Amino acid sequence: MENRQKAKSPLPLMSTLRQSFMFPVKNFRAFASLCLGWYILIMVYEALTGFPMVYSLQDGEDTLRGVVSGMLMLFANISVLVGGCRMALEKYQPRPGYIYFRKRELRILGYSLLLGFSFICAAALLLMAFGWSMEFIGIEYNEWFSWGMVLLLCYVLFLQLVRFYLIYPARAVNNREMSLIKSFKLTKGNANKLAVGFILASLPFFVFALLTEAGIAAVSPQGFFANLLCCFFLLTGSLGDSILLSAYYARIYQYFVPADKNAA
């Protein structure tokens, strides 16, 4: 009953975001330890295979090496997400240079794929239904209107998607009582704040990664050390985003599931 009543009150968005941004700053060394092993693994792989991460941004070709590089990035982000949530909720301290990817991470990966696939399918169905209805009615619309409707429909779906995100920190700390349905119920009335918070928490490193990718595509760096530096920036943008999101997920979890509030 307490959780239900708590879910009806609005999420304190600004204080949640402030705490989400400050937590990685205060725990910089711990996050560096968490990411170190992945930095070494991915950058060594990139150096030995001809930097597929960098060259995929230049020629746009998907090779097997590029697919493996993308999978390593995905695993690294899931690992950092789980580790960050555990640091905030369990006072967990990672060992420097160790790579963590076990049952917790596999569960989070599974939920990420499930929610991502569901979002894509729902968006595709809604957009097709919208296009067919416009043709049936006989309404003509231009490209700007089409893109506007795409963004609107995706945001409406995203408002529902973020309500399931309590499952990530819950599974990170082995809370098996949390389910997708329970997460959806607990976050009732807070969809807009959760969505805006997610966007703002993702924004800094998203912009950083976008500018890095645009710079690589425009400059086409040559030489071993130039490509290695580009890999470092791309990896930093990706893992930095996971760090901020892990802190954000932990804070919203503490708010909606106060019984598990044991973070620093």
Side-chain angles (χ1 to χ4, degrees):
M1 181 63 70
E2 182 181 353
N3 282 349
R4 291 181 182 178
Q5 293 174 350
K6 191 70 174 176
K8 294 179 181 178
S9 62
L11 177 74
L13 180 59
M14 296 311 297
S15 64
T16 299
L17 284 172
R18 183 173 61 253
Q19 292 170 354
S20 300
F21 282 108
M22 289 305 299
F23 183 75
V25 175
K26 293 179 179 178
N27 296 273
F28 177 81
R29 293 184 63 182
F31 276 107
S33 298
L34 180 65
C35 297
L36 179 60
W38 288 107
Y39 268 102
I40 294 173
L41 175 64
I42 293 176
M43 293 187 70
V44 168
Y45 170 80
E46 291 290 320
L48 293 176
T49 56
F51 302 102
M53 185 191 304
V54 176
Y55 286 107
S56 64
L57 298 175
Q58 298 173 3
D59 53 33
E61 295 183 3
D62 291 326
T63 63
L64 179 59
R65 290 176 299 175
V67 172
V68 174
S69 178
M71 291 179 63
L72 287 175
M73 287 281 282
L74 175 61
F75 295 157
N77 279 285
I78 294 294
S79 176
V80 171
L81 184 68
V82 172
C85 287
R86 293 184 65 194
M87 286 166 56
L89 297 169
E90 296 182 328
K91 297 183 178 179
Y92 162 73
Q93 291 298 316
R95 299 175 65 179
Y98 277 67
I99 292 177
Y100 298 90
F101 204 90
R102 302 188 181 98
K103 289 183 179 180
R104 298 177 198 246
E105 288 78 11
L106 284 173
R107 293 192 192 102
I108 299 297
L109 176 61
Y111 279 112
S112 298
L113 294 176
L114 173 63
L115 292 176
F117 181 74
S118 300
F119 178 83
I120 292 172
C121 289
L125 288 174
L126 283 178
L127 290 173
M128 285 191 294
F130 170 75
W132 290 336
S133 63
M134 291 295 100
E135 290 182 5
F136 180 78
I137 298 173
I139 298 178
E140 296 183 0
Y141 50 92
N142 57 28
E143 184 178 353
W144 287 104
F145 179 77
S146 300
W147 279 110
M149 289 305 301
V150 168
L151 292 175
L152 178 61
L153 289 174
C154 286
Y155 184 72
V156 170
L157 284 176
F158 184 61
L159 288 177
Q160 307 309 312
L161 182 68
V162 293
R163 293 179 61 187
F164 296 109
Y165 282 179
L166 292 182
I167 197 69
Y168 294 141
R171 285 296 183 266
V173 296
N174 281 333
N175 178 0
R176 298 188 179 184
E177 294 182 359
M178 180 64 68
S179 65
L180 291 173
I181 295 176
K182 186 174 181 180
S183 174
F184 193 81
K185 290 180 179 180
L186 284 174
T187 52
K188 181 179 180 181
N190 287 278
N192 272 300
K193 287 194 173 186
L194 287 171
V196 172
F198 178 92
I199 293 171
L200 292 177
S202 301
L203 191 60
F205 281 102
F206 173 78
V207 173
F208 176 82
L210 200 64
L211 292 175
T212 302
E213 292 176 7
I216 291 172
V219 175
S220 298
Q222 301 295 326
F224 178 84
F225 289 106
N227 283 301
L228 195 65
L229 184 62
C230 289
C231 286
F232 176 81
F233 285 137
L234 289 170
L235 191 54
T236 298
S238 183
L239 296 185
D241 185 57
S242 292
I243 287 172
L244 286 180
L245 285 179
S246 70
Y248 177 67
Y249 289 155
R251 295 306 169 188
I252 63 174
Y253 180 78
Q254 288 177 317
Y255 179 75
F256 290 108
V257 192
D260 288 349
K261 188 173 183 181
N262 57 1

